[in-house]
Amino acid sequence: MKKYLLLLTCIFTTMFCVSQEETTVKGVVINSADDQPLENVNIVNLNQVVGTSTNDKGEFEINAKPDDTLHFSYLGFKSIEVRVTNDWLKFGSSKIELTELALALETVVVNQLKLTGYLAVDIKQVPINNNNYRYSISGLPSTGYEASSPGAITKIIGSIFNPADFLNRMFGKKSNELKKLKKMKQDDEIRNLLASRFDREMLMALLQVDRIDLDEIVSQCNYSKGFIQTANDLQILDAINECYEEYKLLSRGRTNKL
């Protein structure tokens, strides 16, 4: 009797695992301004690293489990990330709204300046913007660092004192995310999607880094500034993957020597 119970338990467990692996979510992506469906919206599951796009009715279906995060991006619209909930899986479909970038821009406040005609007086009225200072470091790529970005000073100091250790720090801390990049190469839908993109947005979302660090990774992998500026997202993906594989080989060799 115990054997039969054990057998039934194994069967139900297997069926449950299979059903979990094959779970999909459906939805429709629309323009928030007029509720019109959006075709060819790019959708990537950041956890399972699978992708798809919407059809001419704005509909999509993608493999997902509870708590997975779906990344929606479309040219001219603000990208968003949506978490998959149990309710979504239960009720079968959901409506996703994207906002046009022109509508998503923050309000710009214009302050009128009362000029006197005297340079020494008027120049003091011009507001100083402390949020856009950029620093360049001799011997490093001239991309620069934003003073207002989180951890900018730390990045500058780190680059000065440990330029050779940048990849060790990034690859060591981002090993799980880098494995996702490798998995992306196996998904034809995502590869085709990345081949037509140049905004690095999806790569940044998967690696959880900003644009500066992403460019720095490719630069430290001995790719030229020209390549970084002109390569599409798929080429950047391949470059980082190749560099990561070389890094792992070097790390193993260093460990074996020790």
Side-chain angles (χ1 to χ4, degrees):
M1 185 65 179
K2 290 182 178 180
K3 292 182 178 179
Y4 287 117
L5 288 174
L6 181 60
L7 180 61
L8 287 172
T9 302
C10 291
I11 292 173
F12 283 123
T13 301
T14 303
M15 291 175 64
F16 176 77
C17 292
V18 171
S19 63
Q20 285 288 94
E21 291 176 357
E22 296 178 351
T23 300
T24 62
V25 293
K26 299 178 182 179
V28 178
V29 182
I30 62 172
N31 185 338
S32 63
D34 55 15
D35 291 337
Q36 292 299 307
L38 296 175
E39 184 180 2
N40 292 325
V41 175
N42 301 319
I43 308 160
V44 172
N45 185 324
L46 298 180
N47 299 84
Q48 299 188 34
V49 198
V50 292
T52 188
S53 57
T54 57
N55 60 21
D56 57 352
K57 298 179 180 179
E59 301 168 336
F60 70 91
E61 182 174 359
I62 190 170
N63 290 335
K65 297 177 183 178
D67 293 327
D68 280 358
T69 299
L70 304 185
H71 183 274
F72 294 80
S73 59
Y74 189 63
L75 185 64
F77 285 72
K78 183 177 177 61
S79 299
I80 62 171
E81 293 182 2
V82 179
R83 187 171 65 88
V84 177
T85 63
N86 286 313
D87 286 344
W88 189 352
L89 293 169
K90 179 179 179 181
F91 295 109
S93 184
S94 183
K95 186 179 291 185
I96 309 297
E97 297 183 359
L98 295 185
T99 304
E100 292 184 61
L101 283 175
L103 301 177
L105 292 175
E106 297 180 359
T107 303
V108 177
V109 178
V110 179
N111 295 319
Q112 184 177 3
L113 299 179
K114 297 180 180 179
L115 302 180
T116 65
Y118 294 96
L119 181 60
V121 176
D122 294 340
I123 197 169
K124 294 179 180 179
Q125 298 189 55
V126 179
I128 299 174
N129 186 351
N130 292 319
N131 297 322
N132 294 314
Y133 287 146
R134 295 180 67 84
Y135 298 87
S136 60
I137 301 169
S138 179
L140 294 178
S142 57
T143 317
Y145 294 92
E146 295 285 352
S148 60
S149 62
I153 301 300
T154 303
K155 292 175 187 175
I156 295 169
I157 295 175
S159 296
I160 293 173
F161 293 105
N162 300 294
D165 292 337
F166 181 82
L167 291 181
N168 290 332
R169 296 198 306 274
M170 293 301 298
F171 284 170
K173 293 179 180 179
K174 301 288 182 181
S175 58
N176 290 332
E177 286 84 354
L178 286 157
K179 289 176 183 176
K180 290 181 182 179
L181 290 188
K182 185 175 181 180
K183 191 175 180 181
M184 287 177 73
K185 296 182 65 175
Q186 303 168 3
D187 191 302
D188 291 336
E189 184 83 27
I190 294 181
R191 287 186 64 84
N192 292 335
L193 188 160
L194 291 175
S196 61
R197 295 177 68 105
F198 294 83
D199 57 14
R200 315 289 190 249
E201 194 174 282
M202 204 167 296
L203 298 177
M204 290 188 293
L206 278 165
L207 280 176
Q208 295 297 299
V209 298
D210 57 26
R211 179 63 182 265
I212 293 175
D213 276 341
L214 184 63
D215 287 351
E216 188 69 17
I217 291 172
V218 183
S219 176
Q220 295 295 340
C221 288
N222 293 323
Y223 285 89
S224 67
K225 184 177 179 180
F227 172 81
I228 295 172
Q229 292 176 339
T230 60
N232 61 39
D233 287 5
L234 179 59
Q235 291 170 319
I236 294 293
L237 167 67
D238 289 335
I240 295 176
N241 271 316
E242 182 179 347
C243 186
Y244 180 52
E245 292 302 319
E246 293 177 358
Y247 165 81
K248 288 195 297 182
L249 287 174
L250 291 173
S251 297
R252 289 196 201 104
R254 194 178 299 114
T255 302
N256 293 335
K257 288 180 180 179
L258 295 174

